[in-house]
């Protein structure tokens, strides 16, 4: 059996990471500890491949069951309650963090009336969001953090694991990989009641906008102008609740 060693992992996550392996949505945690002041975990090495982007839309029931497996796990939820902050507080902190990063952005488009106006709308939308029951979320469920094996899916890199709005993960998976016309098919398996849940659409688009702006700023810090433009376009589309212009 091969293993994978990951350094600088927060000790507070050790029990939750172990639970993720127990419910088979992440590689099994074999050892966790610290050595010479450096924390580490040793995970079972999973042999798999990244799913192609088109895979998601054609496997929506499987994807919905996978997400539900970790978001509905009661033991995992209890383990994460220690560091949980209320949803409104999480949203306020994210907006403040993004605003600070915007002040240091270098790309001219960040200063455009279009983006600044969308930022004002984004802040207003965040203040009005319905606060759902928080569930375990990954925070970055992109296809390169997902392994497809012969029998099941696994997600890796759970550094952002925390209790939050379930849309924190679901919105990104749907926005990035699934045409809007098929989103209902995901929720019919994940939870039929979710289709009519309070403010579901508002929450879904807000989390997409939040992540898109954050990624645009990340690429700005690294001088990648093309990716800045791409994710700012996503941000604007999500704020206006339009279609993904990249899909």
């Amino acid at each position: 059996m091969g293993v994978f060693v990951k350094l600088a992992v927060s000790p507070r996550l050790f029990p939750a990471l172990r639970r993720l392996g127990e419910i088979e949505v992440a590689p099994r945690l074999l050892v966790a500890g610290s050595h010479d002041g450096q924390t580490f975990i040793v995970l079972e090495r999973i042999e798999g491949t990244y799913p192609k982007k088109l895979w998601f839309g054609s496997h929506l029931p499987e994807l919905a069951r996978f997400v539900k497996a970790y978001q509905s796990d009661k033991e995992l939820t209890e383990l994460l309650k220690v560091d949980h902050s209320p949803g409104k507080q999480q949203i306020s902190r994210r907006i403040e963090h993004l605003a600070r990063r915007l002040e240091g952005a270098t790309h001219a488009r960040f200063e455009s009336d279009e983006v600044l106006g969308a930022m004002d709308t984004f802040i207003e939308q965040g203040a009005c969001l319905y606060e759902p029951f928080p569930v375990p979320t990954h925070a970055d469920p992109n296809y390169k953090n997902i392994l497809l094996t012969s029998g099941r899916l696994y997600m890796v890199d759970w550094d952002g694991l925390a209790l939050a709005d379930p849309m924190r993960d679901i919105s990104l998976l749907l926005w990035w990989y699934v045409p809007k016309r098929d989103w209902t098919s995901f929720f019919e398996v994940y939870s039929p009641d979710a289709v009519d849940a309070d403010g579901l659409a508002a929450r879904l688009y807000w989390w997409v906008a939040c992540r898109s702006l954050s990624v645009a700023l990340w690429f700005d810090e690294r001088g990648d102008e093309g990716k800045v433009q791409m994710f700012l376009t996503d941000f604007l589309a999500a704020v206006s609740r339009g279609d993904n212009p990249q899909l």
Side-chain angles (χ1 to χ4, degrees):
M1 178 183 67
V3 298
F4 177 79
V5 179
K6 186 176 178 67
L7 303 176
V9 179
S10 173
R12 69 177 179 79
L13 288 180
F14 289 172
L17 294 174
R18 181 171 287 107
R19 180 58 184 167
L20 289 170
E22 290 172 351
I23 62 175
E24 298 183 300
V25 297
R28 285 192 303 131
L29 179 62
L30 305 175
V31 181
S34 63
H35 179 71
D36 288 341
Q38 176 72 277
T39 59
F40 68 89
I41 58 174
V42 179
L43 300 166
E44 178 184 13
R45 187 175 184 86
I46 300 294
E47 296 297 332
T49 58
Y50 300 140
K52 296 185 182 300
K53 294 181 181 181
L54 291 176
W55 178 92
F56 293 87
S58 59
H59 291 79
L60 284 173
E62 184 177 352
L63 182 65
R65 286 190 290 268
F66 175 79
V67 174
K68 187 172 184 177
Y70 67 84
Q71 289 198 343
S72 63
D73 189 75
K74 293 182 179 179
E75 183 174 336
L76 181 59
T77 300
E78 287 299 316
L79 290 170
L80 294 171
K81 280 185 177 179
V82 177
D83 295 314
H84 175 60
S85 300
K88 291 294 185 183
Q89 186 175 327
Q90 289 185 25
I91 289 170
S92 296
R93 283 205 303 259
R94 290 177 191 283
I95 290 173
E96 291 169 4
H97 180 63
L98 288 171
R100 286 196 300 270
R101 292 175 67 191
L102 269 173
E103 292 176 359
T106 59
H107 196 288
R109 194 177 181 193
F110 285 106
E111 299 180 0
S112 67
D113 290 341
E114 182 183 34
V115 170
L116 293 176
M119 184 64 182
D120 289 340
T121 302
F122 171 72
I123 293 171
E124 293 171 2
Q125 291 172 344
C128 299
L129 286 186
Y130 171 79
E131 188 169 351
F133 182 80
V135 301
T137 58
H138 179 282
D140 188 19
N142 75 78
Y143 76 101
K144 290 190 176 181
N145 280 333
I146 296 174
L147 291 175
L148 182 61
T149 71
S150 58
R152 59 188 315 117
L153 290 177
Y154 293 90
M155 198 119 73
V156 298
D157 287 341
W158 290 83
D159 295 12
L161 177 62
L163 294 182
D165 185 337
M167 289 304 111
R168 186 188 188 202
D169 285 357
I170 293 171
S171 64
L172 302 182
L173 288 166
L174 296 181
W175 177 267
W176 282 333
Y177 309 123
V178 182
K180 184 188 291 187
R181 64 178 181 273
D182 296 329
W183 290 1
T184 300
S185 298
F186 174 93
F187 288 110
E188 286 174 349
V189 176
Y190 174 84
S191 174
D193 295 336
V195 177
D196 299 315
D198 290 332
L200 182 141
R203 289 159 42 215
L204 188 154
Y205 285 111
W206 192 88
W207 284 102
V208 169
C210 182
R211 183 63 178 170
S212 297
L213 181 57
S214 179
V215 174
L217 288 163
W218 188 88
F219 279 116
D220 179 67
E221 292 160 2
R222 286 150 183 81
D224 191 330
E225 181 174 342
K227 291 294 179 63
V228 169
Q229 295 279 17
M230 184 174 76
F231 282 98
L232 275 181
T233 300
D234 272 22
F235 169 68
L236 294 170
V239 168
S240 63
R241 300 185 187 179
D243 294 334
N244 181 349
Q246 318 299 340
L247 193 61

